[in-house]
């Protein structure tokens, strides 16, 4: 009795495994057919043109970002120059306050100068970071631009070959035999 139960369970497992393998095979066939249909539906020239447009848009966005970084750097440089002028003015005022024995005014001006110099250090660090970002972005844009140009050349060749094949096909329909 026990042996028949085990045989029945083994038979159930075997049937279940067969069903699973049939289902797996069915799914694989379905996926393969679906991929084949999708490949036929896709127009390769349209996909290529879309990819080129996307690359061009990406280049434009990177160029805009580069211009924003350059503008930020220019603004920071102008601010640093303004702070340099203000620091020189403060140093003259401090010297004048010390010469006139106005220690309380000199202390106040020294505190202001320290704060301004600290801000200038941060500003210089920010400018250096922006310069590094500009260099990296320019390199990235240059590489992507080269890739874009290469893809444009390859796509022109592809479009030319496709057009040539279409002409040959049209010509073969008009003239039923080839002239050698």
């Amino acid at each position: 009795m026990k042996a028949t139960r085990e045989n029945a369970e083994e038979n159930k497992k075997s049937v279940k495994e067969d069903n699973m393998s049939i289902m797996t095979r069915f799914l694989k066939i379905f996926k393969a057919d679906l991929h084949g249909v999708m490949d036929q539906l896709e127009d390769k020239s349209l996909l290529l043109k879309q990819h080129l447009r996307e690359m061009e848009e990406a280049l434009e966005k990177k160029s805009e970002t580069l211009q924003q970084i350059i503008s930020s750097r220019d603004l920071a440089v102008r601010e640093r120059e303004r702070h340099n002028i203000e620091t020189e003015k403060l140093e003259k005022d401090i010297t004048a306050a010390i010469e006139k024995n106005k220690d309380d005014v000199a202390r106040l001006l020294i505190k202001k100068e320290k704060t301004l110099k600290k801000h200038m250090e941060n500003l210089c660090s920010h400018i250096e970071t922006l310069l590094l970002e500009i260099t990296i972005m320019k390199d990235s844009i240059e590489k992507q631009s080269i890739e874009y140009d290469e893809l444009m050349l390859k796509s022109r060749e592809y479009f030319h070959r496709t057009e040539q094949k279409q002409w040959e096909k049209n010509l073969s329909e008009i003239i039923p035999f080839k002239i050698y």
Side-chain angles (χ1 to χ4, degrees):
M1 183 94 170
K2 193 174 187 182
T4 57
R5 280 188 194 165
E6 289 176 359
N7 286 340
E9 287 179 20
E10 287 178 22
N11 286 340
K12 284 182 183 179
K13 283 184 182 178
S14 176
V15 169
K16 201 175 203 180
E17 288 174 1
D18 288 343
N19 286 340
M20 291 300 288
S21 66
I22 290 172
M23 288 297 291
T24 304
R25 292 173 77 189
F26 177 73
L27 285 173
K28 285 181 182 179
I29 291 170
F30 179 74
K31 285 181 182 178
D33 285 345
L34 185 62
H35 287 291
V37 169
M38 291 302 292
D39 286 343
Q40 288 179 355
L41 290 176
E42 293 174 340
D43 185 357
K44 302 216 183 321
S45 63
L46 290 177
L47 290 173
L48 182 58
K49 288 177 183 178
Q50 179 63 31
H51 185 65
L52 287 169
R53 278 192 299 271
E54 289 171 357
M55 282 185 76
E56 189 174 3
E57 288 172 7
L59 273 171
E60 288 173 4
K61 285 181 182 178
K62 280 188 176 183
S63 294
E64 288 172 8
T65 302
L66 176 62
Q67 289 306 314
Q68 291 172 349
I69 296 171
I70 289 172
S71 295
S72 295
R73 182 218 42 208
D74 293 345
L75 183 64
V77 167
R78 284 192 300 271
E79 188 176 343
R80 181 185 63 190
E81 289 171 358
R82 250 188 359 262
H83 287 327
N84 276 336
I85 293 169
E86 193 173 335
T87 301
E88 289 173 6
K89 184 179 178 247
L90 278 173
E91 287 173 356
K92 289 178 185 175
D93 291 345
I94 291 169
T95 304
I98 292 172
E99 287 175 357
K100 294 179 181 178
N101 291 327
K102 295 186 176 184
D103 294 338
D104 53 337
V105 172
R107 278 190 215 101
L108 182 66
L109 292 174
I110 289 171
K111 284 182 183 178
K112 188 174 181 181
E113 181 187 34
K114 279 179 97 176
T115 304
L116 194 59
K117 284 186 177 182
K118 181 67 177 168
H119 184 66
M120 282 181 54
E121 288 174 13
N122 292 336
L123 203 53
C124 287
S125 175
H126 180 63
I127 290 170
E128 288 177 20
T129 303
L130 290 173
L131 288 171
L132 181 62
E133 286 180 23
I134 289 169
T135 303
I136 291 170
M137 186 64 78
K138 281 182 178 179
D139 289 343
S140 175
I141 289 172
E142 183 178 342
K143 287 177 186 174
Q144 193 171 1
S145 181
I146 290 170
E147 289 174 6
Y148 176 76
D149 291 341
E150 288 173 354
L151 186 59
M152 280 295 289
L153 286 173
K154 289 178 182 178
S155 65
R156 285 183 185 140
E157 289 173 15
Y158 172 78
F159 292 134
H160 178 72
R161 282 194 311 269
T162 304
E163 185 179 343
Q164 186 176 7
K165 286 178 184 177
Q166 187 62 41
W167 274 88
E168 288 173 1
K169 181 182 173 190
N170 291 342
L171 190 59
S172 69
E173 290 173 359
I174 296 170
I175 303 173
F177 58 91
K178 288 187 175 182
I179 301 174
Y180 294 97

